[in-house]
Coordinates of all heavy atoms in Angstrom, one line a residue:
W1 N 0.8 -1.2 0.0 CA 0.0 0.0 0.0 C 0.9 1.3 0.0 O 0.6 2.2 -0.7 CB -0.9 0.0 1.2 CG -1.7 1.3 1.4 CD1 -2.8 1.7 0.8 CD2 -1.3 2.3 2.3 NE1 -3.1 3.0 1.2 CE2 -2.2 3.4 2.2 CE3 -0.2 2.5 3.3 CZ2 -2.2 4.5 2.9 CZ3 -0.2 3.7 4.0 CH2 -1.1 4.7 3.8
G2 N 2.0 1.2 0.8 CA 2.9 2.4 0.8 C 3.5 2.6 -0.6 O 3.6 3.8 -1.0
G3 N 3.8 1.6 -1.3 CA 4.3 1.8 -2.7 C 3.3 2.3 -3.6 O 3.6 3.2 -4.4
A4 N 2.0 1.9 -3.4 CA 0.9 2.4 -4.3 C 0.7 3.9 -3.9 O 0.4 4.7 -4.8 CB -0.3 1.6 -4.1
L5 N 0.8 4.2 -2.7 CA 0.6 5.6 -2.2 C 1.7 6.5 -2.9 O 1.4 7.6 -3.4 CB 0.7 5.7 -0.7 CG 0.4 7.1 -0.1 CD1 -1.0 7.5 -0.3 CD2 0.8 7.1 1.3
S6 N 2.9 6.0 -2.9 CA 4.0 6.7 -3.5 C 3.8 6.9 -5.0 O 4.0 7.9 -5.6 CB 5.3 6.0 -3.3 OG 6.4 6.7 -3.8
D7 N 3.3 5.8 -5.6 CA 3.0 5.9 -7.1 C 1.9 7.0 -7.3 O 1.9 7.7 -8.3 CB 2.5 4.6 -7.6 CG 3.7 3.6 -7.7 OD1 4.8 4.0 -7.7 OD2 3.4 2.4 -7.9
R8 N 0.9 7.0 -6.5 CA -0.2 7.9 -6.6 C 0.1 9.4 -6.3 O -0.2 10.3 -7.1 CB -1.4 7.4 -5.8 CG -2.7 8.1 -6.1 CD -3.9 7.4 -5.4 NE -3.8 7.1 -4.0 CZ -3.6 5.8 -3.5 NH1 -3.5 4.8 -4.4 NH2 -3.5 5.6 -2.3
L9 N 0.8 9.6 -5.2 CA 1.1 10.9 -4.7 C 2.4 11.5 -5.3 O 2.6 12.7 -5.3 CB 1.1 11.0 -3.2 CG -0.1 10.6 -2.4 CD1 0.1 10.7 -0.9 CD2 -1.3 11.5 -2.8
G10 N 3.3 10.6 -5.5 CA 4.7 11.0 -5.8 C 5.5 10.7 -4.6 O 5.0 10.7 -3.5
P11 N 6.8 10.5 -4.8 CA 7.7 10.1 -3.6 C 7.8 11.2 -2.6 O 7.8 10.9 -1.4 CB 9.0 9.8 -4.3 CG 9.0 10.5 -5.6 CD 7.6 10.5 -6.0
S12 N 7.9 12.5 -2.9 CA 8.1 13.5 -1.9 C 6.9 13.6 -0.9 O 7.0 13.5 0.3 CB 8.4 14.8 -2.5 OG 9.7 14.8 -3.0
P13 N 5.6 13.7 -1.5 CA 4.5 13.7 -0.6 C 4.3 12.5 0.2 O 4.0 12.5 1.4 CB 3.3 13.9 -1.5 CG 3.8 14.5 -2.7 CD 5.2 14.0 -2.9
A14 N 4.6 11.3 -0.4 CA 4.6 10.1 0.4 C 5.6 10.0 1.5 O 5.3 9.6 2.6 CB 4.7 8.9 -0.6
L15 N 6.8 10.5 1.2 CA 7.8 10.6 2.3 C 7.4 11.5 3.4 O 7.7 11.2 4.6 CB 9.2 11.0 1.7 CG 9.9 9.9 0.9 CD1 11.2 10.4 0.3 CD2 10.2 8.7 1.8
R16 N 6.8 12.6 3.0 CA 6.3 13.5 4.1 C 5.3 12.8 5.0 O 5.3 12.9 6.2 CB 5.8 14.8 3.5 CG 6.9 15.8 3.1 CD 6.3 17.2 2.8 NE 5.6 17.2 1.5 CZ 6.1 17.3 0.3 NH1 7.4 17.3 0.1 NH2 5.3 17.3 -0.8
F17 N 4.4 12.1 4.3 CA 3.3 11.4 5.1 C 4.0 10.3 6.0 O 3.7 10.2 7.2 CB 2.3 10.7 4.1 CG 1.4 9.8 4.8 CD1 0.2 10.4 5.4 CD2 1.5 8.5 4.8 CE1 -0.7 9.5 6.1 CE2 0.6 7.6 5.5 CZ -0.5 8.2 6.1
G18 N 4.9 9.5 5.4 CA 5.5 8.4 6.1 C 6.4 9.0 7.3 O 6.4 8.4 8.4
T19 N 7.1 10.0 7.0 CA 8.0 10.6 8.1 C 7.1 11.2 9.2 O 7.5 11.1 10.4 CB 8.9 11.6 7.5 OG1 9.7 11.0 6.5 CG2 9.9 12.2 8.5
L20 N 6.0 11.8 8.8 CA 5.1 12.4 9.8 C 4.5 11.2 10.7 O 4.5 11.3 11.9 CB 3.9 13.1 9.2 CG 2.9 13.7 10.1 CD1 3.5 14.7 11.0 CD2 1.8 14.3 9.3
A21 N 4.1 10.1 10.1 CA 3.7 9.0 10.8 C 4.7 8.4 11.7 O 4.5 8.1 12.9 CB 3.2 7.9 9.9
G22 N 6.0 8.3 11.3 CA 7.1 7.9 12.1 C 7.3 8.8 13.3 O 7.5 8.4 14.4
G23 N 7.2 10.1 13.0 CA 7.4 11.1 14.1 C 6.3 11.0 15.1 O 6.5 11.1 16.3
L24 N 5.0 10.9 14.6 CA 3.9 10.8 15.5 C 4.0 9.5 16.4 O 3.6 9.5 17.6 CB 2.6 10.8 14.7 CG 2.2 12.1 14.1 CD1 1.0 12.0 13.3 CD2 2.0 13.2 15.2
G25 N 4.4 8.4 15.8 CA 4.6 7.2 16.5 C 5.7 7.4 17.6 O 5.5 6.9 18.7
T26 N 6.7 8.1 17.3 CA 7.8 8.3 18.2 C 7.3 9.2 19.4 O 7.5 8.8 20.6 CB 9.0 9.1 17.6 OG1 9.5 8.3 16.5 CG2 10.1 9.4 18.5
L27 N 6.5 10.2 19.1 CA 5.9 11.0 20.1 C 4.9 10.2 21.0 O 4.8 10.4 22.2 CB 5.2 12.3 19.5 CG 6.2 13.3 19.0 CD1 5.4 14.4 18.3 CD2 7.1 13.9 20.1
G28 N 4.2 9.3 20.3 CA 3.2 8.5 21.0 C 3.9 7.6 22.0 O 3.4 7.5 23.2
V29 N 5.0 7.0 21.7 CA 5.7 6.2 22.7 C 6.2 7.1 23.8 O 6.1 6.8 25.0 CB 6.9 5.4 22.0 CG1 7.8 4.7 23.1 CG2 6.4 4.4 21.0
L30 N 6.8 8.2 23.4 CA 7.3 9.2 24.4 C 6.3 9.6 25.5 O 6.6 9.7 26.6 CB 7.9 10.4 23.7 CG 8.5 11.5 24.6 CD1 9.7 11.1 25.4 CD2 8.8 12.7 23.7
L31 N 5.1 9.9 25.0 CA 4.0 10.4 25.9 C 3.0 9.3 26.4 O 2.1 9.7 27.0 CB 3.3 11.5 25.1 CG 4.1 12.7 24.6 CD1 3.3 13.6 23.7 CD2 4.7 13.4 25.8
A32 N 3.3 8.1 26.1 CA 2.4 7.0 26.4 C 2.1 6.9 27.9 O 3.1 6.9 28.7 CB 2.9 5.7 25.9
P33 N 0.9 6.8 28.3 CA 0.6 6.6 29.7 C 0.6 5.1 30.1 O 0.6 4.8 31.3 CB -0.8 7.2 29.9 CG -1.5 6.9 28.5 CD -0.3 7.1 27.5
N34 N 0.6 4.2 29.1 CA 0.6 2.8 29.4 C 1.0 1.9 28.3 O 1.3 2.5 27.2 CB -0.9 2.3 29.9 CG -1.9 2.6 28.8 OD1 -1.7 2.3 27.6 ND2 -3.0 3.3 29.2

């Protein structure tokens, strides 16, 4: 699906989306209450 997203949006927008998701996941672990 990530490859299809990159094909549809182009690599730069897909990388922005993926990097944002990675960053949000990082913050989620950092701020996790449980």
Side-chain angles (χ1 to χ4, degrees):
W1 170 81
L5 183 70
S6 180
D7 288 344
R8 192 168 47 257
L9 300 178
S12 288
L15 283 175
R16 282 192 289 279
F17 174 82
T19 302
L20 179 62
L24 290 174
T26 300
L27 289 174
V29 174
L30 176 64
L31 302 173
N34 58 51

